[in-house]
Amino acid sequence: MEPIRIHDADDSRIAEFRSIRERDLTGREGRFIAEGTVVLRMLGAAHRAGGDFCAEKILLLENRVAGLTDILADFPEDVPVYVASGAVLDRIAGFHLHRGVLALGRRKPERAVTELIADLPQKALVVAAFGISNHDNIGSIFRNAAAFGADAVLLDQSCCDPLYRKALRVSVGAVLSLPYAKSGTASEILTVLTEKDFAIWGLSPRGGVEIRNVPASDRMALITGTEGEGLPQDVLSRIQTARIAQAPGLDSLNAATATGIALYEIAMAQRRL
Amino acid sequence: MEPIRIHDADDSRIAEFRSIRERDLTGREGRFIAEGTVVLRMLGAAHRAGGDFCAEKILLLENRVAGLTDILADFPEDVPVYVASGAVLDRIAGFHLHRGVLALGRRKPERAVTELIADLPQKALVVAAFGISNHDNIGSIFRNAAAFGADAVLLDQSCCDPLYRKALRVSVGAVLSLPYAKSGTASEILTVLTEKDFAIWGLSPRGGVEIRNVPASDRMALITGTEGEGLPQDVLSRIQTARIAQAPGLDSLNAATATGIALYEIAMAQRRL
């Protein structure tokens, strides 16, 4: 598979990479931009596994090609690899792309949250995120969920798209490896989790149990809300709450760190690590 | 204390706020820029406490003044408050400053790491960071150290300045409340900690003890290194190592999350929360 050189930023073969900073904020029929070596490797693994994701094309800075031989070998021959000089690449992307590694991926139509829950094993850990509009936070939820072996991530319809370029990067590609679904309201997701016998936990400064002491259940769900405000009262009233002990009088932990601590404790309680 | 209106970006009274994006990367005799409401509040508290930090002047977007009355009341009368329109403020700062809240602070000459360690109580928890050049990571180390009640942060001389505007913001102002020092090499800091009877722990994927099971000591130090590479071998050979159990085959946790989990566990072991 010989890389194909692109000399002109207006070349139609790389049109999907043009001005990605603006474009990746919009829906494109399941298409998304993967950026950087780590995410490219995860896209290759996902493509090979034949699951929800495949790669359509790759665009690289010319001097990156040699160092990526192993990763590129993971993609089938019919995924074209384009290369360009730094000047042409920056004109294509619309900004200085110092990483120099881009791919266009596509995901199959998503399942609904209810379908994903129905497919989970009897012993399960899921993370459900409600109202997360920040791409960094969505990415870090996936990164932590993957690190601690969660089975799935459930997003309500008000969360942002985890396939957005920055979310994908912050997740270190975990969005491509961890089953997820995004549909319905927070209330609907809580109803399904309850019906399916999940012990549902969320963090609150006034939580009833220290997170280290949360009792294990076969099926556990951790709910995460927006940084700053935390989970709304109508959610808190329907779940069990845990606290993370902290020094008095301080601003709370960063949302990603708090979720990481909670997932570590719950996964340890379930003996899944 | 009536705010003083600035009409001209070249006004010498607000010269220190000019082009802060470039300038705050350079040393300025202990001076630093505090940005945002949360950090301004912490600067007011630090000034009032009469410790290492004081405020020299404040510069606000005109429409922010009314909402900051309580915080501004914390500063003494001789700290001038300047206000400007959005257009003037952006010309001063050199970029669009949507937060609209800036202050110029000054810190007293720093103590050396050895002096700070000598001042610690018999029962102590410190975080030591070696070679952290990323401002986000330095900021998050302070945020986590404060959240879990650490007594001090020790930085080797190769770490970046925690008073850099972004590090300060990410720390949610904890850099202004938590004693810290920055001097010497990693090796020198380890020597002093050992002499002062600290049990010294660091994270490693091949750590000898699960972090949840680290035994309590009266004096404990957690060492954090660079994201990605982790702690170098010459440091690892001089400390005790703990691991955070994770799902196999994945990229490691984000450095801030890993440090947060470790600090939570160590602070719980010491019963300081």
Side-chain angles (χ1 to χ4, degrees), chain A residues 143-144 146-149 172 210-212 227 244-247 250-254 256-257 260-261 264-265 268 273, chain B residues 143-144 146-149 172 210-212 227 244-247 250-254 256-257 260-261 264-265 268 273:
Chain A
R143 183 174 182 172
N144 286 332
F148 295 122
V172 292
E210 178 65 32
I211 189 72
R212 256 189 158 209
E227 181 152 347
I244 299 175
Q246 289 171 62
L250 280 158
D251 205 81
S252 65
L253 289 169
N254 167 283
T257 304
I261 292 171
Y264 171 69
E265 297 298 344
M268 288 299 275
L273 298 175
Chain B
R143 183 174 182 172
N144 286 331
F148 295 121
V172 292
E210 179 65 32
I211 189 71
R212 254 188 160 209
E227 181 153 348
I244 298 175
Q246 288 171 61
L250 279 157
D251 207 80
S252 65
L253 288 169
N254 168 283
T257 303
I261 291 171
Y264 171 68
E265 296 298 343
M268 289 299 275
L273 297 175

Side-chain angles (χ1 to χ4, degrees), chain B residues 5-271:
Chain B
R5 178 160 289 274
I6 299 293
H7 297 281
D8 178 0
D10 291 326
D11 192 312
S12 65
R13 293 173 293 182
I14 46 76
E16 297 90 344
F17 297 105
R18 235 171 265 149
S19 306
I20 49 172
R21 197 168 258 176
E22 289 83 51
R23 286 160 57 86
D24 55 9
L25 290 167
T26 67
R28 281 155 306 149
E29 299 169 343
R31 284 183 175 77
F32 60 90
I33 298 290
E35 182 187 15
T37 309
V38 172
V39 180
L40 184 69
R41 179 184 290 116
M42 296 292 274
L43 180 60
H47 189 125
R48 221 170 46 246
D52 289 336
F53 301 97
C54 66
E56 296 200 332
K57 51 184 78 173
I58 296 167
L59 174 60
L60 305 174
L61 183 64
E62 53 194 351
N63 67 15
R64 297 299 308 270
V65 179
L68 295 170
T69 310
D70 289 354
I71 294 177
L72 294 175
D74 274 356
F75 291 88
E77 288 281 336
D78 63 352
V79 176
V81 178
Y82 300 101
V83 296
S85 67
V88 171
L89 191 62
D90 289 356
R91 275 206 300 281
I92 295 170
F95 65 102
H96 176 57
L97 196 82
H98 66 277
R99 283 181 176 79
V101 176
L102 292 174
L104 179 70
R106 196 179 76 237
R107 80 157 289 160
K108 295 184 184 154
E110 283 181 36
R111 285 168 293 179
V113 164
T114 46
E115 295 173 78
L116 180 54
I117 293 175
D119 284 349
L120 290 171
Q122 177 46 31
K123 195 158 183 177
L125 170 59
V126 300
V127 182
F130 299 159
I132 310 277
S133 58
N134 177 296
H135 293 107
D136 278 286
N137 289 344
I138 282 283
S140 65
I141 286 168
F142 275 85
R143 183 174 182 172
N144 286 331
F148 295 121
D151 296 294
V153 175
L154 315 176
L155 308 174
D156 78 346
Q157 62 202 12
S158 73
C159 287
C160 64
D161 186 353
L163 291 171
Y164 172 71
R165 183 169 50 95
K166 194 178 181 195
L168 198 46
R169 199 177 69 218
V170 171
S171 84
V172 292
V175 177
L176 303 177
S177 66
L178 196 55
Y180 77 87
K182 176 170 174 292
S183 70
T185 63
S187 175
E188 288 162 0
I189 293 173
L190 289 176
T191 299
V192 179
L193 288 171
T194 304
E195 285 169 4
K196 297 291 182 182
D197 292 326
F198 277 81
I200 311 176
W201 289 89
L203 292 171
S204 162
R206 289 165 299 285
V209 184
E210 179 65 32
I211 189 71
R212 254 188 160 209
N213 303 323
V214 165
S217 315
D218 271 2
R219 317 197 99 191
M220 298 183 79
L222 176 71
I223 311 294
T224 68
T226 54
E227 181 153 348
E229 296 182 29
L231 292 168
Q233 196 51 48
D234 60 327
V235 171
L236 287 173
S237 67
R238 296 178 61 182
I239 66 176
Q240 299 180 80
T241 57
R243 64 181 180 275
I244 298 175
Q246 288 171 61
L250 279 157
D251 207 80
S252 65
L253 288 169
N254 168 283
T257 303
T259 303
I261 291 171
L263 276 170
Y264 171 68
E265 296 298 343
I266 290 174
M268 289 299 275
Q270 280 194 321
R271 299 177 181 275

Side-chain angles (χ1 to χ4, degrees), chain A residues 223-243:
Chain A
I223 311 295
T224 69
T226 54
E227 181 152 347
E229 296 183 28
L231 291 167
Q233 196 51 50
D234 60 329
V235 170
L236 287 173
S237 67
R238 295 179 62 182
I239 66 177
Q240 299 180 79
T241 57
R243 63 180 180 276

